[in-house]
Amino acid sequence: MSNLEKLITQKNFGDDYQRGLVSLIFVGNWITSRHQQFFKRYDITMQQYNILRILRGQHPKAASINLLKERMLDKMSDVSRLVERLRKADFVERKSCELDRRAVDVKITAKGLELLSTIDAELSQLNDSFKSLNEKEIGQLNKLLDKMLEAYH
């Protein structure tokens, strides 16, 4: 009996494709849950962390809301609402774009950069789930996931 079969107490799958899909969903949910618990300690969400990382990559330049939407891992996120919460916590600043008054520029603050530094120092513990894979296996996993992403629209 495989680990998946033990964890979800299901013995039979229609085929290996169904088993693989169920495994991906289960592992994805497990990793998401671990990340949610981790970021709760910092009073931010995974999506807010994603925005802060994008802004750190843009630093010292500002990013538009549209750029943030394009780069988000969770495409269903309400970026404007997330940015507003980060602004209230002084992790980002928002201001109207000088070139287009309808657009908003977002920049990470020193406090936001400091938070990311703190998180970076402790984030490695979340990677423990990948420690069971050796370098060759993680390379194979990345290639297979990349191959699946060819179908992403």
Side-chain angles (χ1 to χ4, degrees):
M1 185 178 266
S2 73
N3 288 330
L4 177 67
E5 291 163 339
K6 289 176 198 171
L7 290 166
I8 67 169
T9 61
Q10 180 173 338
K11 293 183 178 164
N12 298 319
F13 294 92
D15 55 29
D16 282 344
Y17 291 98
Q18 182 187 29
R19 185 182 187 289
L21 180 62
V22 171
S23 290
L24 277 173
I25 292 168
F26 187 87
V27 169
N29 288 336
W30 171 55
I31 290 171
T32 298
S33 176
R34 290 184 68 209
H35 278 77
Q36 287 170 335
Q37 289 300 112
F38 176 83
F39 290 118
K40 209 179 267 190
R41 292 189 281 182
Y42 301 99
D43 203 28
I44 63 170
T45 64
M46 288 173 45
Q47 293 83 2
Q48 289 169 324
Y49 173 72
N50 190 201
I51 287 175
L52 290 172
R53 285 196 44 152
I54 294 165
L55 292 172
R56 177 172 60 184
Q58 289 290 115
H59 187 68
K61 295 188 306 184
S64 68
I65 295 291
N66 283 339
L67 180 115
L68 294 172
K69 282 180 186 176
E70 288 170 14
R71 294 191 182 169
M72 287 290 293
L73 295 176
D74 180 354
K75 300 297 184 190
M76 302 307 286
S77 295
D78 180 350
V79 175
S80 296
R81 182 181 52 81
L82 293 168
V83 166
E84 182 57 20
R85 284 188 180 162
L86 289 168
R87 187 196 64 76
K88 285 180 179 176
D90 294 324
F91 294 133
V92 302
E93 50 188 39
R94 296 172 51 137
K95 65 177 184 175
S96 295
C97 175
E98 293 178 13
L99 300 174
D100 180 356
R101 292 283 175 205
R102 294 169 297 169
V104 174
D105 284 335
V106 184
K107 285 177 107 172
I108 192 166
T109 63
K111 185 177 176 183
L113 290 169
E114 189 177 307
L115 175 66
L116 286 179
S117 272
T118 303
I119 289 173
D120 288 346
E122 298 178 26
L123 194 60
S124 64
Q125 63 188 329
L126 284 178
N127 295 332
D128 289 347
S129 54
F130 288 104
K131 297 287 197 268
S132 61
L133 302 177
N134 63 37
E135 284 186 36
K136 183 180 179 185
E137 291 168 332
I138 196 70
Q140 288 174 312
L141 176 64
N142 285 327
K143 284 180 185 172
L144 292 170
L145 292 172
D146 194 50
K147 186 174 183 177
M148 288 183 74
L149 286 172
E150 289 174 6
Y152 181 78
H153 297 86

